[in-house]
Every structure is written in structure tokens, then in C-alpha cells.
Amino acid sequence: MPTAAPKLQSNGEATEKPQKPQANIGKPQTVDNPALAALQLLLRVENDAREATNVRELLLLIANETRKLSRSRQIFVVERSATHRFKVQAVSSITVADSSSPLNQSLERVLSRLDRDGRLEEAVEFRTTDYSGEDLGVFESYPFPELLWVPMKSRNGEVFAGMLQARESSWSDRDKIVSQRLAKTYAHAWRTLNTSDRPRLKKTILRRGGAALLGLAALAMFIPVPLSALAPAEIVAKDPVVVAAPIEGVIERLFVEPNTSVTVGQVLLSFADTTLRNKFEIAEREVSVARARLKRANQLAFEDMRGRHELAMARADLSLRITERNYAKDLLDKSVIRADRSGIAMFKDKKDLIGKPVAVGERLMELADPGRVMLRIDMPVADGQLLKPGADSKVFLDSEPLAPFGAKVVRADYQARAVDGTTVAFRALADLQLDGRNSPRLGVRGSAQVYGENVPLGLYLFRRPITAVRQWIGL
């Protein structure tokens, strides 16, 4: 066969073109081009979506990986039911989306309003205030007002899900195009997983027992087991002493650092006392003047009837001046706050207090005994029925995950409160059972497992689906 002619160098000598080594084929190459790097990231995310083994894995991929390409700050993956009801299935940086979260419920209502306007079929950009309605209070505290809805459609063109992306700046055409492309990939993967799981589930049921196994499983549903639930927990001080402002004024100086030990009688802080000191000195001088008037009235009482009349008035005036002086002295003494007990002075930062004008009774700090602690539990609303006085609990602290503490619920709130800005929960306090161990450090967090009464195993396993069905059908 004819061969290629060798390449001539400038000196007329023939040299062959060097061949590229084949050893590096298949090795990852460093990408310096930002556009090429973005393209590789897009291809990788699309490949991960197609290789997802279940819908839950796909939802977490959509909520977290899409942000790298669309430059979103937070993504809510929403599913639309056959009855056009919306439900947030996944949220960026959150393992499980809480259906009782005020923000999630508000976004679901916003999408319902968009659906009524017929704007869900295509990608649409809007602000939180455009469709807020009665949820305006929730969105006023939400830091990402610019929203982008990107639908996911079935084969017949019907919207069955979508991505609601949020950030603080308006959306560019490039971000919209990337989001729409990814939405098509996600929709295809979602449809594939939904259709492939059904026959696999049927085969598994038939393969593992048939009617006999189903009968045994039905009987097992009546086995009594203790109802339990997990909730975030934190170690807090037991019966801390609240240090409140005894007078109205401006804090001039703090003598202790945050979270340091103090002793009884130690000076904690002082108020600006210029006005109080001057009032006390004026009151002291008025007492001296009143005493001089009383002495003069005593002398006149022996000589003149008019002096006897002035004597009673001088005594009353002296008593009044002494009372005013004592009141001014009390206010001056209260301008310096001392510790009533030994413990840890708990407050955030000295900068937050120095120079701050405070009113009478305003909380300044707490004095806590590090040896007297208890457990604070924030139980989600769905499991609030477990919080009864005397309920047993077990707490797994992040600092000691393999050595749990026992605890017993002492009291619980009857009104839910917002926790961490997004979750509504009932707050409860529980006494720790140390069993000779050292008290855990104040502020340590963990997870508490609260136990309730015995219930059938079927109710324990399916109480969440039962609750969801009950809410859906309205019974």
C-alpha cells in the first residue's frame, strides 16, 4: 500500500509527524474553558437523571443539582395530581419536604392561582408578590422574590410536575433555556421510573408469597408496638435566672464576656448613671434644706404661734424629701446589676448590649447552672399527639451518637410555633436521666425519639399515608 510522504524540515531533511501517545485515551482532562465546563456539567446532570433508580433519588437530584446550571438559590420540586392539587415533593438542601411548612403551603396556593390563570403550560417568570394573596406575610420574610416556573409534561402534553426556582435577581434567557432543557430530561426520567416500578412491584409480590404471605402480613398488622417519632432536640438550662433591666436607661458597660462563669455578687453590667447621680445629689441637698427649715420651725415654736403652725409642715416636708432621696438612691444603686447566683452568663454578643437603650423589665441575659440541664424537643405537628406529660424519650446527641440519654417529658405547648422559620412544631421540655453520667454541655443538639402508647403495627407503619388520605378526602 502507498504510504504518506514524510514531512520535509527547513533544512531539506525528511521527518515524520510525531504520533500522539495513546496511553492518555480515556483519562479525564482538565477543562479550562468555562463554556465547555458548563456543557460537561449539563451532560453529567442529564446522565445522572437517566440513571436514577427511583423517583426519590430523582427528586433530590432535581432540587440540588439544577442550581449549579440555572444559578438558582432554591428549587422546589412540585407534583401536580390528577385533581390539579399541588404538593411540594423536594426542596433544595432539605432531606424531606415538610408538608406543614407555611412556605411550602403558600407556594402550593400560588401555583393553584397560576393554574386558574392558565399560565402553567409554559415557563413563566413572576415575583412572589404577584400572586401572594393572603400569603403576603409569609413572602415578606422570604429572601428570594424572583420566581421561575418550569413545567414538566407527560407524553400527551399535560403538566404533571415542575420546578419552581427562586433567587433574588431577575432571570436571564440563558437560565430559562437551560432550565427548560433540564425539565424535559427530568420529565422523561420521571415518567420512565413511574412506569417501570409498577410491574416490578407486582412481580415481587407474586414471587414472595402470594395469598399466603399476604395473609400473614395482614395478621402481622395487628401486632401491638409502641408509637414513636423523631424530633430535633437541644440541651437547655433548667430554671435559669433571667437578668432583666430594673430601670429605664442606656447600657454603658458590660463586665463579663458571653457564656463565661460568674459568682454571686459579681458586677454584670452598668447603666449610664449621670442623670441618676445628679438627681440623688439634688435630693440630698433638698433633705439638708428641709432639716434646716425644721430646725428653724422648732426654734420659732417656743416664741411665736406662727412657728408652731410651720413646725408640722416642716416635718412633713422633711419626710417627703427623705423619701425622694431614698428613691433616687435606689435608682442609682440599680444602675449597677450584680449576679444573684453563680452560673454561666448566657447572651449573644457584647456589641448587641453596649449602648442599647432598654425599658424596665427587658430581658438582658440569663444566668444558668451548667450542672442543671434539661432537654428541649421541637416535635412536628403531625406527631404532636405523642407529647404527653410522663412520656418516655431517648435522645441521641450529635456529640455522643452512640451513648443516648434517657428522658421523660415534663410539659409541652398546646400551641404550635414556627421553628427555624420554615417548620411548625410543638415545643416540649423533658428531664434528662443521667444515671451517673456528666451533664451534657448547654446548646448541644441532637435527635429525640419520643415514645407513646401501643398501637397496631399497621397504624404505626401507615399512619402518614392514612393521614394524607384523610386530608385529601376531607374526613
Side-chain angles (χ1 to χ4, degrees), residues 166-440:
R167 69 184 188 188
E168 61 273 16
S169 59
S170 58
W171 297 88
S172 63
D173 293 338
R174 174 224 178 245
D175 297 333
K176 294 179 182 178
I177 294 173
V178 172
S179 299
Q180 290 173 333
R181 176 184 174 89
L182 288 174
K184 294 179 180 179
T185 303
Y186 296 151
H188 179 270
W190 199 330
R191 293 195 306 264
T192 303
L193 291 173
N194 281 337
T195 56
S196 62
D197 287 344
R198 295 170 187 168
R200 187 182 302 115
L201 178 60
K202 293 180 180 179
K203 293 178 182 179
T204 302
I205 295 176
L206 293 175
R207 188 170 55 250
R208 291 190 178 182
L213 185 59
L214 290 176
L216 292 176
L219 292 176
M221 293 296 103
F222 295 95
I223 298 175
V225 295
L227 188 64
S228 64
L230 289 174
E234 182 180 359
I235 301 298
V236 297
K238 185 176 183 180
D239 299 328
V241 174
V242 177
V243 179
I247 60 175
E248 183 176 357
V250 177
I251 299 177
E252 184 178 41
R253 185 179 177 187
L254 266 77
F255 295 90
V256 295
E257 297 293 332
N259 303 319
T260 56
S261 300
V262 298
T263 57
V264 177
Q266 182 177 346
V267 178
L268 301 177
L269 57 89
S270 63
F271 289 82
D273 60 351
T274 303
T275 303
L276 299 176
R277 192 184 316 107
N278 291 335
K279 287 184 178 180
F280 173 70
E281 292 180 357
I282 293 174
E284 188 72 33
R285 292 175 182 268
E286 289 179 348
V287 169
S288 300
V289 173
R291 284 176 177 168
R293 290 176 180 173
L294 178 61
K295 182 177 180 180
R296 177 175 173 275
N298 281 327
Q299 294 175 352
L300 291 177
F302 290 101
E303 301 175 357
D304 188 1
M305 184 62 68
R306 184 168 57 88
R308 297 176 184 175
H309 292 296
E310 292 180 356
L311 181 60
M313 296 181 61
R315 288 175 178 172
D317 184 62
L318 177 60
S319 178
L320 175 62
R321 301 304 177 186
I322 291 176
T323 302
E324 292 178 348
R325 181 200 62 184
N326 294 340
Y327 175 69
K329 182 66 168 57
D330 289 341
L331 292 181
L332 182 60
D333 293 340
K334 290 180 179 180
S335 64
V336 178
I337 299 180
R338 301 177 182 273
D340 295 336
R341 59 175 285 185
S342 300
I344 303 296
M346 300 178 61
F347 59 98
K348 292 183 179 179
D349 194 353
K350 296 177 67 173
K351 298 178 182 178
D352 296 336
L353 293 178
I354 295 177
K356 177 183 178 181
V358 296
V360 177
E362 185 171 346
R363 182 189 294 262
L364 303 178
M365 65 179 68
E366 292 182 354
L367 298 181
D369 186 353
R372 302 183 69 240
V373 297
M374 62 190 320
L375 185 67
R376 186 179 69 194
I377 305 172
D378 293 325
M379 181 66 69
V381 175
D383 300 313
Q385 74 276 7
L386 296 177
L387 293 180
K388 296 180 180 179
D392 292 328
S393 177
K394 185 180 294 185
V395 56
F396 299 86
L397 299 178
D398 295 340
S399 58
E400 299 179 76
L402 301 180
F405 288 87
K408 192 174 290 291
V409 176
V410 178
R411 61 181 182 272
D413 293 344
Y414 286 96
Q415 185 174 4
R417 66 179 73 185
V419 180
D420 296 332
T422 57
T423 305
V424 180
F426 292 103
R427 177 158 291 180
L429 294 176
D431 284 333
L432 285 175
Q433 299 172 355
L434 300 178
D435 297 332
R437 299 167 59 184
N438 294 329
S439 300

